[in-house]
Amino acid sequence: MKFSETEKEVLTDNNVGKLYIRYFDIGLHPETQAPIPISPIHFKENMQYFEIVPVVFIQNKVMLEPKLDVSDLAKKTIGLIDEINSKNKLNCTQIQIDCDWTLKSKEHYLEFIEQIKKLSKKKLSATIRLHQVKYFEKTKIPNVDSGVLMFYNMGSIAPDSLNSIYNREISGKYLSSLKKYPLHLDYALPIYSWVIHIRDQKVLGLRSKLNFRALKKDKNFVQISPVFFKVRQSNYKNGVYYEENDLLKIEAISSENLRNMAEDLNENTTQPPREILFYDLDEFNLKNYEKNIFKQIISVF
């Protein structure tokens, strides 16, 4: 992990002192079905000037594994976090666990959180999805010090014209539940974008590092609506093959979307957030926004 000059500038301009950093994911080994760490982070920067919160993303299928040894997984998770911290001379006071747990996986997940809390002796936070807020009596609430509401990924990735990252109509169905949620919540807002690659009304995949500007400049693509481009002639772009007549759907978050999110959350909260997180820190994302947008959004709360 290394910051670009633009990223450094944004961190300095916004007086950012705390970073939530993905340390590794946990998935299942394809043959043994045992939990394994995926792509642990390698720091190429001196991070000692920041307060770092390690974030571990756990695929829900890990928690669904019937024979999962929860306490062993918790030990290994803390062990790898400690190893990364020690190697990089970092000392953290908080850990965040990111998992979209379900009714079927909640027992393992809630037990995992208990074990992490006991072993780490640190503050613990967990990511919370909108459906887990609305139906908390069924999904339960993890025993953490606070939650971070992930206010994005609200729809399905589909060939229609709706934005799956943020949809104000969908979010509106959940917002009133925030007032009843017993755990303190901070908010994570999206500043990422992607392109959905569609052929014959079927989604072929998500394409990152591709945006409106890049497609507009490329003669192989023609804009046919505010969010859709059509492939004019077959070509390769960023190592991906696009066939003539394929469709590319742009899903992005505008400054206006961010303002709407902040206003809607602010109107529906009883306890103001202590932190607003922006996901994620990447030069490609940052270049889509005016310089003072983050201060504007934070000032809403």
Side-chain angles (χ1 to χ4, degrees), residues 27-242:
L28 291 176
H29 189 284
E31 287 161 22
T32 64
Q33 296 301 292
I36 50 165
I38 299 166
S39 331
I41 192 162
H42 293 285
F43 288 106
K44 292 176 183 167
E45 290 275 352
N46 180 357
M47 304 301 288
Q48 291 169 13
Y49 303 107
F50 295 98
E51 183 186 342
I52 300 296
V53 179
V55 180
V56 177
F57 172 72
I58 305 177
Q59 296 173 7
N60 188 47
K61 64 183 177 184
V62 175
M63 292 295 156
L64 286 167
E65 196 53 34
K67 293 176 184 167
L68 181 68
D69 185 336
V70 176
S71 62
D72 182 60
L73 178 60
K75 263 184 227 148
K76 286 174 176 166
T77 302
I78 294 298
L80 186 48
I81 291 171
D82 288 347
E83 193 183 309
I84 293 169
N85 282 341
S86 161
K87 187 179 172 184
N88 295 282
K89 299 183 175 60
L90 294 171
N91 184 21
C92 66
T93 57
Q94 180 189 342
I95 291 170
Q96 184 169 102
I97 303 296
D98 179 9
C99 179
D100 189 5
W101 81 93
T102 56
L103 294 176
K104 286 184 178 169
S105 64
K106 74 178 177 189
E107 278 182 38
H108 274 163
Y109 173 70
L110 296 171
E111 175 57 25
F112 177 77
I113 289 289
E114 294 290 349
Q115 294 289 334
I116 290 282
K117 201 169 171 72
K118 194 168 78 179
L119 290 168
S120 74
K121 299 182 175 62
K122 296 182 191 295
K123 273 192 168 178
L124 198 55
S125 63
T127 55
I128 310 287
R129 274 73 175 171
L130 282 168
H131 69 93
Q132 290 157 348
V133 169
K134 187 166 184 175
Y135 304 109
F136 75 86
E137 285 169 355
K138 283 183 184 170
T139 61
K140 300 301 177 199
I141 296 170
N143 180 19
V144 291
D145 299 287
S146 62
V148 171
L149 178 69
M150 299 171 77
F151 207 59
Y152 46 85
N153 291 0
M154 296 180 184
S156 54
I157 290 162
D160 60 29
S161 61
L162 297 174
N163 189 329
S164 71
I165 300 174
Y166 170 64
N167 182 308
R168 198 173 190 182
E169 203 176 310
I170 291 174
S171 72
K173 294 173 183 171
Y174 294 88
L175 282 165
S176 61
S177 312
L178 284 173
K179 289 179 177 162
K180 299 175 206 144
Y181 196 66
L183 180 67
H184 174 85
L185 289 176
D186 294 316
Y187 301 139
L189 305 182
I191 54 167
Y192 63 92
S193 64
W194 54 39
V195 165
I196 298 176
H197 184 186
I198 301 156
R199 184 177 298 156
D200 301 325
Q201 285 297 297
K202 288 193 180 75
V203 172
L204 297 187
L206 291 175
R207 311 293 176 225
S208 57
K209 307 292 182 193
L210 198 55
N211 60 16
F212 185 89
R213 280 195 306 275
L215 292 174
K216 198 78 178 154
K217 276 194 292 194
D218 192 326
K219 291 188 172 72
N220 290 313
F221 303 90
V222 59
Q223 187 177 0
I224 57 168
S225 89
V227 295
F228 280 105
F229 280 80
K230 194 174 193 175
V231 179
R232 198 179 258 156
Q233 54 190 37
S234 300
N235 70 95
Y236 278 92
K237 191 168 183 70
N238 299 351
V240 175
Y241 178 66
Y242 296 100

Side-chain angles (χ1 to χ4, degrees), residues 233-273:
Q233 54 190 37
S234 300
N235 70 95
Y236 278 92
K237 191 168 183 70
N238 299 351
V240 175
Y241 178 66
Y242 296 100
E243 205 172 88
E244 188 181 344
N245 294 325
D246 282 0
L247 291 177
L248 296 181
K249 173 186 167 187
I250 294 175
E251 294 194 337
I253 299 299
S254 66
S255 296
E256 189 189 350
N257 289 151
L258 288 173
R259 288 187 196 97
N260 288 341
M261 290 178 196
E263 285 160 11
D264 290 348
L265 284 165
N266 191 46
E267 276 172 29
N268 287 278
T269 190
T270 47
Q271 262 190 322

